[in-house]
Amino acid sequence: MILTVTLNTALDITYRVRALRPRSSHRVTEVSERPGGKGLNVARVLTALGHPTTVTGFAGGSTGRAVRELLRDVPGLTDALVAVEGGSRRTVAVVDESTGETTRFDEPGPAVSPAEWSAFQKAYEDLLRPASAVALCGSLPPGVPVGAYAGLVRAARAAGVPVLLDTSGEPLRRGLAARPDIVKPNAVELAELTGSHEPLQAARDARRRGAHAVVASLGAEGLLAQSAEGGWRAVPPRTVRGDPAGAGDAAVAGLLSALVEELPWPRRLARAVAVSAAAVLSPVAGEFDRAAYEDLLSDVAVTGEATAA
């Protein structure tokens, strides 16, 4: 079982309009609702890749109930979310059909009390026992300590469970010092963390700060990885056009699934790039185009080399 943590779960609502115009009314042509938050997106891709997955984090109020109801429809997924008094957040994405561009509105999330945070930590430690890997994903809701991910990384390492961290800002900086097995920032997050806008140098710097491996998302240019075993770059065989909102979460799922299958780094990156590109073709985060994934996988270009033993 793979465990994903989404401390700031959401109900993702997507509106499609023919053209988005400021200061005007719009007739919505299509509405969709999905369980959201980075870790839930990762979990849905993992189950589609054939890996049973448990999700935990916080859920509360009518929005939290709606999220949990939608999770029941996901085969291979177990809901272990922790209830809170406050209402879970909503994210609203408005897709302009005339341009293909998406405008997002993200709520901050519920205020989490110290007692609720303590209850989550106990539940998390119990869930680590049967886990083969854990992903810590996304933003922190109000009330959760900024160093929360550092503590969760240390708990996973103490339990002998490989841990991947995918967050940003101060939570990433503090979490990095706890020595996660993998961190997966995008290029902007990596530059903010290290001060370097050159991805290779920035990834090496992030490793020196504590991560065992750094996998940087470079958008259409694929993934860059630096680890003790070597360094690699993986590039999709062609450009795909669509909504990139869930691409990074799909890449995390690809990395985690390949990690628990004990695949070597080049094959991990190839899978992560292929499923990430296939996610761009999906209209909602947490899903990917299966046919495109299988078509892309064998053609991902991976360059680099392992470190000599």
Side-chain angles (χ1 to χ4, degrees), residues 201-225:
Q201 180 58 46
R204 288 171 173 167
D205 186 17
R207 274 206 68 225
R208 286 193 291 269
R209 296 180 184 216
H212 289 267
V214 178
V215 180
S217 293
L218 305 179
E221 297 179 9
L223 297 174
L224 170 71

PDB file of all heavy atoms in Angstrom, residues 201-225:
ATOM      1  N   GLN A 201      22.347  23.121 -11.323  1.00  0.00           N
ATOM      2  CA  GLN A 201      23.031  23.644 -10.153  1.00  0.00           C
ATOM      3  C   GLN A 201      22.082  23.713  -8.957  1.00  0.00           C
ATOM      4  O   GLN A 201      22.446  23.379  -7.823  1.00  0.00           O
ATOM      5  CB  GLN A 201      23.610  25.031 -10.442  1.00  0.00           C
ATOM      6  CG  GLN A 201      24.351  25.658  -9.271  1.00  0.00           C
ATOM      7  CD  GLN A 201      25.503  24.792  -8.771  1.00  0.00           C
ATOM      8  OE1 GLN A 201      26.286  24.286  -9.582  1.00  0.00           O
ATOM      9  NE2 GLN A 201      25.599  24.610  -7.467  1.00  0.00           N
ATOM     10  N   ALA A 202      20.839  24.133  -9.211  1.00  0.00           N
ATOM     11  CA  ALA A 202      19.860  24.247  -8.135  1.00  0.00           C
ATOM     12  C   ALA A 202      19.526  22.868  -7.556  1.00  0.00           C
ATOM     13  O   ALA A 202      19.385  22.712  -6.333  1.00  0.00           O
ATOM     14  CB  ALA A 202      18.595  24.923  -8.652  1.00  0.00           C
ATOM     15  N   ALA A 203      19.414  21.859  -8.405  1.00  0.00           N
ATOM     16  CA  ALA A 203      19.117  20.509  -7.913  1.00  0.00           C
ATOM     17  C   ALA A 203      20.268  19.981  -7.062  1.00  0.00           C
ATOM     18  O   ALA A 203      20.051  19.345  -6.019  1.00  0.00           O
ATOM     19  CB  ALA A 203      18.847  19.579  -9.096  1.00  0.00           C
ATOM     20  N   ARG A 204      21.492  20.232  -7.491  1.00  0.00           N
ATOM     21  CA  ARG A 204      22.650  19.805  -6.691  1.00  0.00           C
ATOM     22  C   ARG A 204      22.675  20.519  -5.344  1.00  0.00           C
ATOM     23  O   ARG A 204      22.984  19.911  -4.304  1.00  0.00           O
ATOM     24  CB  ARG A 204      23.930  20.071  -7.470  1.00  0.00           C
ATOM     25  CG  ARG A 204      24.138  19.121  -8.650  1.00  0.00           C
ATOM     26  CD  ARG A 204      25.292  19.547  -9.521  1.00  0.00           C
ATOM     27  NE  ARG A 204      25.578  18.546 -10.554  1.00  0.00           N
ATOM     28  CZ  ARG A 204      26.368  18.761 -11.605  1.00  0.00           C
ATOM     29  NH1 ARG A 204      26.967  19.940 -11.751  1.00  0.00           N
ATOM     30  NH2 ARG A 204      26.564  17.807 -12.491  1.00  0.00           N
ATOM     31  N   ASP A 205      22.335  21.801  -5.355  1.00  0.00           N
ATOM     32  CA  ASP A 205      22.300  22.571  -4.113  1.00  0.00           C
ATOM     33  C   ASP A 205      21.222  22.017  -3.177  1.00  0.00           C
ATOM     34  O   ASP A 205      21.446  21.869  -1.970  1.00  0.00           O
ATOM     35  CB  ASP A 205      22.039  24.040  -4.433  1.00  0.00           C
ATOM     36  CG  ASP A 205      22.140  24.935  -3.211  1.00  0.00           C
ATOM     37  OD1 ASP A 205      22.724  24.501  -2.195  1.00  0.00           O
ATOM     38  OD2 ASP A 205      21.632  26.076  -3.257  1.00  0.00           O
ATOM     39  N   ALA A 206      20.051  21.694  -3.727  1.00  0.00           N
ATOM     40  CA  ALA A 206      18.975  21.144  -2.892  1.00  0.00           C
ATOM     41  C   ALA A 206      19.390  19.815  -2.266  1.00  0.00           C
ATOM     42  O   ALA A 206      19.044  19.524  -1.118  1.00  0.00           O
ATOM     43  CB  ALA A 206      17.711  20.973  -3.728  1.00  0.00           C
ATOM     44  N   ARG A 207      20.157  19.009  -2.994  1.00  0.00           N
ATOM     45  CA  ARG A 207      20.652  17.757  -2.426  1.00  0.00           C
ATOM     46  C   ARG A 207      21.578  18.026  -1.249  1.00  0.00           C
ATOM     47  O   ARG A 207      21.520  17.345  -0.220  1.00  0.00           O
ATOM     48  CB  ARG A 207      21.403  16.938  -3.480  1.00  0.00           C
ATOM     49  CG  ARG A 207      20.519  16.048  -4.341  1.00  0.00           C
ATOM     50  CD  ARG A 207      21.305  14.863  -4.879  1.00  0.00           C
ATOM     51  NE  ARG A 207      21.665  13.961  -3.806  1.00  0.00           N
ATOM     52  CZ  ARG A 207      22.872  13.416  -3.637  1.00  0.00           C
ATOM     53  NH1 ARG A 207      23.859  13.675  -4.479  1.00  0.00           N
ATOM     54  NH2 ARG A 207      23.100  12.598  -2.632  1.00  0.00           N
ATOM     55  N   ARG A 208      22.431  19.016  -1.404  1.00  0.00           N
ATOM     56  CA  ARG A 208      23.354  19.343  -0.304  1.00  0.00           C
ATOM     57  C   ARG A 208      22.602  19.812   0.934  1.00  0.00           C
ATOM     58  O   ARG A 208      23.112  19.689   2.055  1.00  0.00           O
ATOM     59  CB  ARG A 208      24.349  20.416  -0.763  1.00  0.00           C
ATOM     60  CG  ARG A 208      25.425  19.892  -1.707  1.00  0.00           C
ATOM     61  CD  ARG A 208      26.545  20.901  -1.872  1.00  0.00           C
ATOM     62  NE  ARG A 208      26.105  22.072  -2.595  1.00  0.00           N
ATOM     63  CZ  ARG A 208      26.174  22.224  -3.924  1.00  0.00           C
ATOM     64  NH1 ARG A 208      26.662  21.253  -4.667  1.00  0.00           N
ATOM     65  NH2 ARG A 208      25.764  23.326  -4.497  1.00  0.00           N
ATOM     66  N   ARG A 209      21.396  20.332   0.747  1.00  0.00           N
ATOM     67  CA  ARG A 209      20.620  20.821   1.882  1.00  0.00           C
ATOM     68  C   ARG A 209      19.877  19.708   2.608  1.00  0.00           C
ATOM     69  O   ARG A 209      19.225  19.970   3.622  1.00  0.00           O
ATOM     70  CB  ARG A 209      19.628  21.893   1.419  1.00  0.00           C
ATOM     71  CG  ARG A 209      20.310  23.138   0.883  1.00  0.00           C
ATOM     72  CD  ARG A 209      19.305  24.173   0.423  1.00  0.00           C
ATOM     73  NE  ARG A 209      19.986  25.306  -0.178  1.00  0.00           N
ATOM     74  CZ  ARG A 209      19.582  26.571  -0.056  1.00  0.00           C
ATOM     75  NH1 ARG A 209      18.505  26.853   0.648  1.00  0.00           N
ATOM     76  NH2 ARG A 209      20.239  27.542  -0.645  1.00  0.00           N
ATOM     77  N   GLY A 210      19.902  18.473   2.064  1.00  0.00           N
ATOM     78  CA  GLY A 210      19.338  17.369   2.829  1.00  0.00           C
ATOM     79  C   GLY A 210      18.632  16.284   2.058  1.00  0.00           C
ATOM     80  O   GLY A 210      18.498  15.169   2.556  1.00  0.00           O
ATOM     81  N   ALA A 211      18.131  16.573   0.850  1.00  0.00           N
ATOM     82  CA  ALA A 211      17.383  15.553   0.123  1.00  0.00           C
ATOM     83  C   ALA A 211      18.319  14.462  -0.397  1.00  0.00           C
ATOM     84  O   ALA A 211      19.409  14.752  -0.887  1.00  0.00           O
ATOM     85  CB  ALA A 211      16.640  16.188  -1.050  1.00  0.00           C
ATOM     86  N   HIS A 212      17.891  13.226  -0.317  1.00  0.00           N
ATOM     87  CA  HIS A 212      18.675  12.135  -0.898  1.00  0.00           C
ATOM     88  C   HIS A 212      18.630  12.194  -2.421  1.00  0.00           C
ATOM     89  O   HIS A 212      19.605  11.840  -3.084  1.00  0.00           O
ATOM     90  CB  HIS A 212      18.154  10.788  -0.396  1.00  0.00           C
ATOM     91  CG  HIS A 212      18.479  10.539   1.047  1.00  0.00           C
ATOM     92  ND1 HIS A 212      19.602   9.863   1.457  1.00  0.00           N
ATOM     93  CD2 HIS A 212      17.829  10.903   2.189  1.00  0.00           C
ATOM     94  CE1 HIS A 212      19.634   9.806   2.778  1.00  0.00           C
ATOM     95  NE2 HIS A 212      18.567  10.433   3.248  1.00  0.00           N
ATOM     96  N   ALA A 213      17.490  12.613  -2.969  1.00  0.00           N
ATOM     97  CA  ALA A 213      17.356  12.775  -4.414  1.00  0.00           C
ATOM     98  C   ALA A 213      16.439  13.955  -4.693  1.00  0.00           C
ATOM     99  O   ALA A 213      15.485  14.203  -3.947  1.00  0.00           O
ATOM    100  CB  ALA A 213      16.800  11.511  -5.063  1.00  0.00           C
ATOM    101  N   VAL A 214      16.742  14.678  -5.767  1.00  0.00           N
ATOM    102  CA  VAL A 214      15.931  15.811  -6.204  1.00  0.00           C
ATOM    103  C   VAL A 214      15.469  15.525  -7.620  1.00  0.00           C
ATOM    104  O   VAL A 214      16.284  15.229  -8.499  1.00  0.00           O
ATOM    105  CB  VAL A 214      16.733  17.128  -6.173  1.00  0.00           C
ATOM    106  CG1 VAL A 214      15.875  18.287  -6.693  1.00  0.00           C
ATOM    107  CG2 VAL A 214      17.226  17.416  -4.764  1.00  0.00           C
ATOM    108  N   VAL A 215      14.164  15.599  -7.841  1.00  0.00           N
ATOM    109  CA  VAL A 215      13.600  15.471  -9.188  1.00  0.00           C
ATOM    110  C   VAL A 215      12.862  16.768  -9.478  1.00  0.00           C
ATOM    111  O   VAL A 215      11.855  17.076  -8.828  1.00  0.00           O
ATOM    112  CB  VAL A 215      12.654  14.267  -9.306  1.00  0.00           C
ATOM    113  CG1 VAL A 215      12.092  14.184 -10.727  1.00  0.00           C
ATOM    114  CG2 VAL A 215      13.369  12.977  -8.943  1.00  0.00           C
ATOM    115  N   ALA A 216      13.374  17.537 -10.428  1.00  0.00           N
ATOM    116  CA  ALA A 216      12.807  18.838 -10.749  1.00  0.00           C
ATOM    117  C   ALA A 216      11.937  18.743 -11.990  1.00  0.00           C
ATOM    118  O   ALA A 216      12.349  18.207 -13.015  1.00  0.00           O
ATOM    119  CB  ALA A 216      13.921  19.856 -10.978  1.00  0.00           C
ATOM    120  N   SER A 217      10.711  19.265 -11.885  1.00  0.00           N
ATOM    121  CA  SER A 217       9.819  19.348 -13.040  1.00  0.00           C
ATOM    122  C   SER A 217      10.180  20.578 -13.856  1.00  0.00           C
ATOM    123  O   SER A 217      10.209  21.699 -13.321  1.00  0.00           O
ATOM    124  CB  SER A 217       8.361  19.465 -12.587  1.00  0.00           C
ATOM    125  OG  SER A 217       7.930  18.294 -11.951  1.00  0.00           O
ATOM    126  N   LEU A 218      10.427  20.386 -15.141  1.00  0.00           N
ATOM    127  CA  LEU A 218      10.817  21.477 -16.030  1.00  0.00           C
ATOM    128  C   LEU A 218       9.758  21.729 -17.099  1.00  0.00           C
ATOM    129  O   LEU A 218      10.069  22.183 -18.201  1.00  0.00           O
ATOM    130  CB  LEU A 218      12.168  21.167 -16.687  1.00  0.00           C
ATOM    131  CG  LEU A 218      13.317  20.844 -15.724  1.00  0.00           C
ATOM    132  CD1 LEU A 218      14.587  20.526 -16.501  1.00  0.00           C
ATOM    133  CD2 LEU A 218      13.549  21.984 -14.742  1.00  0.00           C
ATOM    134  N   GLY A 219       8.517  21.434 -16.798  1.00  0.00           N
ATOM    135  CA  GLY A 219       7.433  21.673 -17.734  1.00  0.00           C
ATOM    136  C   GLY A 219       7.563  20.797 -18.965  1.00  0.00           C
ATOM    137  O   GLY A 219       7.809  19.590 -18.882  1.00  0.00           O
ATOM    138  N   ALA A 220       7.433  21.417 -20.144  1.00  0.00           N
ATOM    139  CA  ALA A 220       7.503  20.671 -21.397  1.00  0.00           C
ATOM    140  C   ALA A 220       8.879  20.071 -21.647  1.00  0.00           C
ATOM    141  O   ALA A 220       9.031  19.184 -22.493  1.00  0.00           O
ATOM    142  CB  ALA A 220       7.122  21.586 -22.557  1.00  0.00           C
ATOM    143  N   GLU A 221       9.893  20.519 -20.871  1.00  0.00           N
ATOM    144  CA  GLU A 221      11.251  19.992 -21.037  1.00  0.00           C
ATOM    145  C   GLU A 221      11.504  18.756 -20.186  1.00  0.00           C
ATOM    146  O   GLU A 221      12.631  18.251 -20.150  1.00  0.00           O
ATOM    147  CB  GLU A 221      12.265  21.084 -20.709  1.00  0.00           C
ATOM    148  CG  GLU A 221      12.182  22.277 -21.662  1.00  0.00           C
ATOM    149  CD  GLU A 221      13.175  23.365 -21.315  1.00  0.00           C
ATOM    150  OE1 GLU A 221      14.037  23.125 -20.448  1.00  0.00           O
ATOM    151  OE2 GLU A 221      13.087  24.450 -21.895  1.00  0.00           O
ATOM    152  N   GLY A 222      10.490  18.253 -19.496  1.00  0.00           N
ATOM    153  CA  GLY A 222      10.618  16.985 -18.793  1.00  0.00           C
ATOM    154  C   GLY A 222      11.093  17.099 -17.362  1.00  0.00           C
ATOM    155  O   GLY A 222      10.738  18.038 -16.640  1.00  0.00           O
ATOM    156  N   LEU A 223      11.918  16.150 -16.944  1.00  0.00           N
ATOM    157  CA  LEU A 223      12.386  16.041 -15.564  1.00  0.00           C
ATOM    158  C   LEU A 223      13.901  15.992 -15.512  1.00  0.00           C
ATOM    159  O   LEU A 223      14.547  15.402 -16.382  1.00  0.00           O
ATOM    160  CB  LEU A 223      11.834  14.776 -14.901  1.00  0.00           C
ATOM    161  CG  LEU A 223      10.320  14.651 -14.732  1.00  0.00           C
ATOM    162  CD1 LEU A 223       9.971  13.267 -14.181  1.00  0.00           C
ATOM    163  CD2 LEU A 223       9.781  15.729 -13.802  1.00  0.00           C
ATOM    164  N   LEU A 224      14.442  16.563 -14.437  1.00  0.00           N
ATOM    165  CA  LEU A 224      15.875  16.507 -14.146  1.00  0.00           C
ATOM    166  C   LEU A 224      16.034  15.862 -12.782  1.00  0.00           C
ATOM    167  O   LEU A 224      15.375  16.265 -11.819  1.00  0.00           O
ATOM    168  CB  LEU A 224      16.460  17.920 -14.132  1.00  0.00           C
ATOM    169  CG  LEU A 224      17.892  18.088 -13.627  1.00  0.00           C
ATOM    170  CD1 LEU A 224      18.867  17.508 -14.642  1.00  0.00           C
ATOM    171  CD2 LEU A 224      18.200  19.559 -13.371  1.00  0.00           C
ATOM    172  N   ALA A 225      16.894  14.846 -12.675  1.00  0.00           N
ATOM    173  CA  ALA A 225      17.090  14.138 -11.409  1.00  0.00           C
ATOM    174  C   ALA A 225      18.548  14.155 -11.000  1.00  0.00           C
ATOM    175  O   ALA A 225      19.440  13.964 -11.827  1.00  0.00           O
ATOM    176  CB  ALA A 225      16.602  12.698 -11.523  1.00  0.00           C
TER     177      ALA A 225
END
